[in-house]
Amino acid sequence: MSYQFNQGYVVVNLDNGQVWQQTADGNPVGRLSWPALAYSAVISRGGAGSYDMKLNDVARTLPVRRIQ
């Protein structure tokens, strides 16, 4: 996994080639404290067809959309 930021919103590149971006529905993460390899990401279905991402050691669930 790797990550970067786009205007404060996190973009996560998963090992399987999928790329997920935090949506503007939530507050931007702004930064993460650890290197990418310290995190694991779990993507799950949210309400009304949306998706959520949970990163270990991040206190909140992030609304995301798949961009690749």
Side-chain angles (χ1 to χ4, degrees):
M1 181 183 113
S2 64
Y3 66 83
Q4 63 215 32
F5 291 92
N6 182 4
Q7 298 179 346
Y9 294 97
V10 68
V11 179
V12 174
N13 300 286
L14 300 180
D15 294 338
N16 65 5
Q18 293 181 359
V19 180
W20 293 83
Q21 180 174 1
Q22 181 187 6
T23 66
D25 297 346
N27 293 327
V29 170
R31 66 179 184 87
L32 294 173
S33 301
W34 307 103
L37 294 177
Y39 291 99
S40 62
V42 176
I43 308 292
S44 59
R45 278 205 178 268
S50 66
Y51 290 92
D52 295 321
M53 178 173 61
K54 180 65 179 145
L55 295 172
N56 61 313
D57 291 332
V58 175
R60 59 190 169 114
T61 300
L62 308 171
V64 291
R65 66 182 172 93
R66 186 173 172 187
I67 58 174
Q68 184 176 335

